[in-house]
Amino acid sequence: MKRLLYWIGLLTGITACVNPKGEDVLAEAERLMRTYPDSVLSLLEQAEKEAASYPRRNRMRYRLLQAEAMNKTYLPLDTLTSMDEVLDYYLSHGNRDERMRACYLMGSVYRDRGNSPLALQYYRDAIGEADTTETDCDYAQVSRIYAQMALLFDRQRYPQMELEQWKQAMRYALLAKDTLMYIQCQERMSSAYYLLNMEDSVVACTRRGYTAYLKYGKKDWAAATQIVMADYYLKHDSLAKAKQALDEYRNGSGFFESNGDILPGYGIFYSYIGEYYEKTSRLDSALFYYRKLLGCSSDDIMKLEGGYKGLMSVYAKMHKVDSVVKYAHLFVNANDTANLRNSAHEISRTQALYDYSESQRIAVEKSEEVRRLWIGLCICFVVLTLGGMGVYLYYRKQKANQMLANRQYTDLMMRYHQATEELQNVRSNKQQFQRQKEEEIEKLRQMLDAYKGHTHTGQWELEQSLLQHDIVKRMHQHAYKLAVPSDAEWRDLQGVVEKSLPEFYAKLVATECPLTDKEWKVCLLVKLNFIPSELTVLLNLSKQRVTNIRTNLNKKLFGESGSRTFDANLHKL
């Protein structure tokens, strides 16, 4: 039972790691965000209580999606208090896209709080996070950020900067292949041209937008543009066309409730319809709509200004002096307030400061990047140089040690054979010289034993005679010079062993398990008293590989494990 509970707990922990809490809800919200932001809001509201227990990463993602959905459904963000924490989190842990979204939404919070300079700063920060050189850049989001900056400059009556932002928004809308966004930006440029008194450009932008909206089936968007044309026609006293534009706006824009009242935020319509009735001498209707304009504009100084101005004008035509004086006074106050509130000085100063600080920041970042790159390159060069020198010195040392060992062994073998021959020559009569040579031979044998690790006093006699063969001498020379013998030399060596040690050769041939070429060569060399370091050179193998072959041969030929007894066993054959 305990074991079952353990495995259940373990599986639960693994599942939680693979699929953190809230992952499914947030993934679904991401999927629906672009096309159904209202559904996203409902989904997030249902998960609001559970979201408090999400891991931090998913809590931050929840709040980011919530703010994004509110922004897309045109709900004000000025009441959000968690965006500071969300922004800090993504600036530290988010990727470029997440940092861009967080900065954009932070700017939108300040936009809805009426703080245009801070909103602009965060919008610029969002643009700075976008890598527009990458193919996976979210160009659609970049386009919308530029559009928001354009609207900020429009609110502040700064048409020159507004036009620049609309053009950038159009550029990235094209890269995102968002045709409707491109058309909207082009059409909204009319507001900047309006502030610049470029009437022809206002009309051109509006008409292009109207035609394009109809082409793509957006009849309500097309009707919404007619408020601009109504203004144009009223200024030029084309009253029939003005009435036609106003009627299309009323009937097709979708900005009116069932009782005929306009939706909040679009009250400027009352100003134009009031002006139309004023110009057609229907003053009672003009007064009615101007008063409706005042009723829906308590929080919009521009609409108050228009309402007071319209009422002042109508009462002047009706020769009601008291009312003219009243609304003239209100109009002057509203006009002064509008000018103060919409002063572009603060936002233009913010723009200048931002441009300077942004240039400084980029310059510092580039300089720091270059400095880090050079430091990294220098460190890599030093490490590679030292590493290369270390490897080279180690290789040289290993080769030198191997060469020295092989040379010492060959010299000892030669001296041993020479002493043996001298002993045989003087053994008959020169007893003293004989004893001297016997002592020398014994000493040399002991020194050879240090290399071989075993003694074959009688066994070596026949094997030592083979040292005088030219091929055996050449093999020792190859080992000393770290050279690999040719195939012909290997065949010569095999022939010498076959002829001089026929019994040994026959036993190797008669083994139940045939020997490989490498195993044959190891047996021949060991039988002729070549040491392991010589074998590594002559066979062009690593020391470990030679040891492995000797181990396998010991098992195959003698049924013993390891390589320690192989040489002794082989010499007994």
Side-chain angles (χ1 to χ4, degrees):
M1 185 65 182
K2 289 183 178 180
R3 181 173 295 182
L4 178 61
L5 292 174
Y6 168 79
W7 283 111
I8 291 174
L10 181 62
L11 289 173
T12 303
I14 294 174
T15 304
C17 293
V18 174
N19 189 22
K21 195 171 184 181
E23 199 72 32
D24 294 339
V25 173
L26 299 176
E28 181 68 8
E30 289 274 14
R31 188 180 68 82
L32 297 173
M33 182 63 73
R34 190 174 292 275
T35 50
Y36 302 106
D38 49 346
S39 299
V40 173
L41 271 181
S42 300
L43 180 66
L44 295 178
E45 285 175 3
Q46 294 172 9
E48 185 173 4
K49 291 183 179 179
E50 186 183 0
S53 62
Y54 288 174
R56 187 185 180 205
R57 177 171 65 88
N58 283 351
R59 287 203 312 275
M60 296 301 104
R61 188 178 172 196
Y62 174 90
R63 293 175 184 175
L64 184 76
L65 290 170
Q66 182 184 43
E68 194 168 12
M70 291 176 65
N71 195 46
K72 286 181 178 291
T73 52
Y74 305 105
L75 293 176
L77 307 183
D78 54 335
T79 57
L80 291 180
T81 58
S82 60
M83 275 309 298
D84 288 313
E85 183 183 359
V86 173
L87 179 61
D88 289 342
Y89 174 81
Y90 281 110
L91 288 179
S92 300
H93 301 89
N95 56 36
R96 295 186 75 98
D97 180 65
E98 290 169 336
R99 294 197 297 270
M100 176 176 69
R101 290 166 65 188
C103 289
Y104 168 59
L105 291 170
M106 191 76 245
S108 299
V109 169
Y110 281 107
R111 173 202 64 198
D112 293 344
R113 290 176 183 173
N115 192 331
S116 296
L118 270 181
L120 177 63
Q121 177 182 328
Y122 282 111
Y123 286 151
R124 288 291 191 188
D125 289 343
I127 293 295
E129 293 294 346
D131 188 353
T132 55
T133 62
E134 294 292 335
T135 55
D136 61 348
C137 176
D138 190 352
Y139 293 120
Q141 184 73 1
V142 175
S143 176
R144 281 160 175 74
I145 296 172
Y146 275 115
Q148 287 296 321
M149 287 193 286
L151 293 175
L152 279 180
F153 287 119
D154 180 72
R155 185 185 299 175
Q156 298 298 322
R157 297 184 181 181
Y158 197 166
Q160 294 85 354
M161 286 302 301
E162 180 184 353
L163 281 176
E164 287 186 24
Q165 309 314 308
W166 285 126
K167 289 175 183 177
Q168 290 290 347
M170 290 166 64
R171 174 192 172 195
Y172 287 105
L174 281 178
L175 290 173
K177 298 180 180 179
D178 191 341
T179 305
L180 284 176
M181 181 64 182
Y182 178 86
I183 296 169
Q184 281 183 296
C185 295
Q186 189 179 50
E187 182 251 320
R188 290 301 299 268
M189 290 173 71
S190 62
S191 60
Y193 289 126
Y194 182 87
L195 292 174
L196 292 169
N197 293 318
M198 298 171 66
E199 196 172 71
D200 292 342
S201 297
V202 172
V203 173
C205 287
T206 304
R207 286 176 174 167
R208 278 198 298 268
Y210 180 81
T211 303
Y213 289 145
L214 290 179
K215 177 181 176 181
Y216 285 94
K218 295 290 185 179
K219 293 182 180 180
D220 52 343
W221 291 13
T225 66
Q226 292 307 290
I227 197 72
V228 178
M229 297 307 301
D231 176 72
Y232 172 76
Y233 292 137
L234 286 170
K235 284 182 179 178
H236 293 273
D237 292 327
S238 298
L239 300 182
K241 291 183 178 181
K243 183 62 167 63
Q244 183 180 355
L246 288 169
D247 286 344
E248 184 174 358
Y249 181 82
R250 186 199 298 266
N251 298 326
S253 66
F255 296 152
F256 290 82
E257 298 176 352
S258 57
N259 61 3
D261 289 339
I262 200 165
L263 294 174
Y266 300 96
I268 193 65
F269 169 80
Y270 294 139
S271 176
Y272 292 124
I273 192 69
E275 185 178 354
Y276 166 75
Y277 283 123
E278 181 183 353
K279 288 192 174 184
T280 55
S281 300
R282 297 164 66 179
L283 302 183
D284 289 340
S285 295
L287 287 174
F288 173 78
Y289 283 109
Y290 283 142
R291 288 197 177 98
K292 285 181 74 70
L293 180 63
L294 296 180
C296 70
S297 60
S298 59
D299 60 341
D300 191 332
I301 195 65
M302 302 296 293
K303 292 185 179 65
L304 285 174
E305 185 183 5
Y308 292 144
K309 181 180 178 181
L311 289 171
M312 179 182 67
S313 176
V314 171
Y315 281 124
K317 290 178 180 178
M318 297 174 69
H319 306 294
K320 293 186 177 181
V321 178
D322 291 344
S323 296
V324 171
V325 172
K326 172 185 174 182
Y327 287 108
H329 179 70
L330 292 173
F331 170 68
V332 169
N333 289 339
N335 183 258
D336 290 344
T337 302
N339 286 334
L340 287 172
R341 187 175 296 179
N342 293 291
S343 173
H345 174 71
E346 183 180 12
I347 199 166
S348 61
R349 182 181 62 186
T350 301
Q351 175 68 23
L353 287 173
Y354 175 82
D355 288 343
Y356 174 78
S357 61
E358 181 70 359
S359 299
Q360 292 291 96
R361 183 182 66 82
I362 292 173
V364 170
E365 286 182 353
K366 291 295 182 184
S367 176
E368 183 64 17
E369 184 178 346
V370 170
R371 188 181 70 83
R372 287 197 301 267
L373 178 61
W374 275 110
I375 291 175
L377 289 174
C378 290
I379 292 174
C380 289
F381 176 79
V382 171
V383 170
L384 289 174
T385 301
L386 294 177
M389 290 177 62
V391 170
Y392 174 75
L393 292 175
Y394 176 79
Y395 176 81
R396 285 286 303 273
K397 182 179 180 180
Q398 290 295 102
K399 288 295 181 182
N401 290 340
Q402 189 173 26
M403 184 181 294
L404 178 61
N406 292 348
R407 184 174 62 187
Q408 288 176 343
Y409 177 74
T410 301
D411 290 342
L412 286 171
M413 288 288 291
M414 294 300 180
R415 289 168 59 192
Y416 177 82
H417 181 74
Q418 183 180 358
T420 303
E421 283 187 338
E422 290 176 356
L423 175 61
Q424 290 173 353
N425 291 334
V426 301
R427 183 172 287 172
S428 57
N429 298 313
K430 299 180 180 179
Q431 296 298 324
Q432 184 177 0
F433 184 76
Q434 179 180 351
R435 285 194 302 273
Q436 180 181 352
K437 287 301 178 182
E438 284 177 346
E439 291 174 359
E440 183 179 355
I441 289 170
E442 183 59 27
K443 185 177 180 181
L444 291 172
R445 186 193 301 277
Q446 291 174 3
M447 294 176 69
L448 284 170
D449 285 342
Y451 283 88
K452 297 299 295 181
H454 60 270
T455 306
H456 316 282
T457 305
Q459 191 78 17
W460 275 23
E461 298 301 332
L462 177 61
E463 297 164 0
Q464 288 305 311
S465 65
L466 297 178
L467 187 62
Q468 291 306 305
H469 280 277
D470 180 63
I471 184 60
V472 178
K473 291 181 179 180
R474 270 188 284 144
M475 286 291 188
H476 281 294
Q477 290 297 321
H478 285 323
Y480 164 65
K481 296 179 179 179
L482 303 181
V484 178
S486 66
D487 292 339
E489 289 173 321
W490 281 113
R491 287 194 294 272
D492 291 344
L493 183 66
Q494 184 174 344
V496 168
V497 174
E498 183 178 4
K499 182 178 179 180
S500 303
L501 303 170
E503 292 182 5
F504 168 76
Y505 189 85
K507 289 180 181 179
L508 289 183
V509 172
T511 56
E512 294 181 2
C513 299
L515 303 183
T516 65
D517 180 63
K518 295 290 187 187
E519 290 173 338
W520 261 101
K521 291 175 180 178
V522 168
C523 288
L524 296 179
L525 294 172
V526 171
K527 186 64 174 177
L528 295 175
N529 297 309
F530 284 80
I531 61 174
S533 61
E534 289 185 302
L535 268 62
T536 62
V537 174
L538 297 174
L539 295 171
N540 195 22
L541 298 175
S542 67
K543 185 178 180 181
Q544 184 60 48
R545 177 66 179 140
V546 170
T547 301
N548 292 342
I549 292 174
R550 292 168 67 236
T551 300
N552 292 336
L553 284 169
N554 206 17
K555 183 70 174 178
K556 183 183 293 186
L557 297 176
F558 309 111
E560 296 184 13
S561 300
S563 64
R564 292 181 178 274
T565 60
F566 171 68
D567 291 10
N569 290 333
L570 190 71
H571 281 288
K572 292 175 184 178
L573 287 181

